[in-house]
Amino acid sequence: MPDTNDRQFMERALIEARAALAHGDVPIGAVAVDRATGHIVGRGHNQRELLQDPTAHAEMLALTAAAAHYRSWRLVNVDLFVTLEPCPMCAGACVLARIPRLVYAAADPKAGAHVSVMRLFDVPALNHRVAVEAGLLAEQSAELLREFFAALRVAKGGGEDPAPPLGA
């Protein structure tokens, strides 16, 4: 059973995910949490469409905000909560930032870098290990994504496009 605080942090990440909807981005959210105090030190939601930036993923924005908070790229006392399994870029950023723990909600069968498509966190040559926990509020996150992509298909004329990727 997840820690009560973990659930609250994932709920905050879901709030961030919903914020992405306001500007037409895939609803993925993230919060970076100081392990000692339990304070949120960074937050982000997808802003690729808003910023026209391929790197503006929720995780990247939350990690950048946390790094600014600490004035350090080493985030050794930060846990990251994300509504979707990170892509390779975001998983790599978690390793490079040296975060100790990542908690994500739903799996991403199209771009997930924990277990779905690849296992980046298991690469033995990497200089840091991130403890990963998956599945916390997975259904809520997956439902938000399903609703977003269903609405997108309707907006595009209801075509029978193959299922869009869940990834950021």
Side-chain angles (χ1 to χ4, degrees):
M1 191 71 187
D3 180 291
T4 304
N5 289 333
D6 284 0
R7 185 177 183 83
Q8 291 173 346
F9 295 134
M10 190 60 75
E11 288 169 350
R12 296 297 296 271
L14 282 164
I15 290 168
E16 285 295 323
R18 289 182 194 98
L21 296 171
H23 44 79
D25 272 288
V26 178
I28 300 169
V31 294
V33 178
D34 182 286
R35 294 170 65 92
T37 66
H39 292 125
I40 294 175
V41 294
R43 63 186 80 229
H45 56 272
N46 273 9
Q47 296 184 42
R48 291 187 316 167
E49 295 297 331
L50 178 68
L51 301 176
Q52 290 300 298
D53 179 350
T55 68
H57 290 206
E59 302 94 321
M60 301 298 283
L61 298 171
L63 290 172
T64 297
H69 172 82
Y70 291 111
R71 296 183 180 168
S72 175
W73 60 267
R74 287 186 178 92
L75 301 177
V76 297
N77 294 310
V78 173
D79 289 340
L80 186 65
F81 292 80
V82 187
T83 60
L84 189 68
E85 179 182 3
C87 72
M89 174 181 68
C90 295
C94 289
V95 171
L96 294 173
R98 308 221 183 2
I99 67 163
R101 185 171 75 123
L102 165 73
V103 180
Y104 69 85
D108 183 353
K110 301 289 186 184
H114 172 233
V115 293
S116 296
V117 175
M118 64 180 63
R119 294 180 172 270
L120 190 133
F121 296 112
D122 294 338
V123 174
L126 294 177
N127 65 339
H128 176 71
R129 296 287 167 261
V130 177
V132 181
E133 299 170 29
L136 180 59
L137 301 182
E139 187 50 40
Q140 292 91 323
S141 177
E143 183 60 25
L144 189 59
L145 290 159
R146 280 191 292 271
E147 289 173 6
F148 171 80
F149 285 115
L152 189 63
R153 285 190 295 278
V154 168
K156 288 186 175 183
E160 292 297 319
D161 292 336
L166 290 179

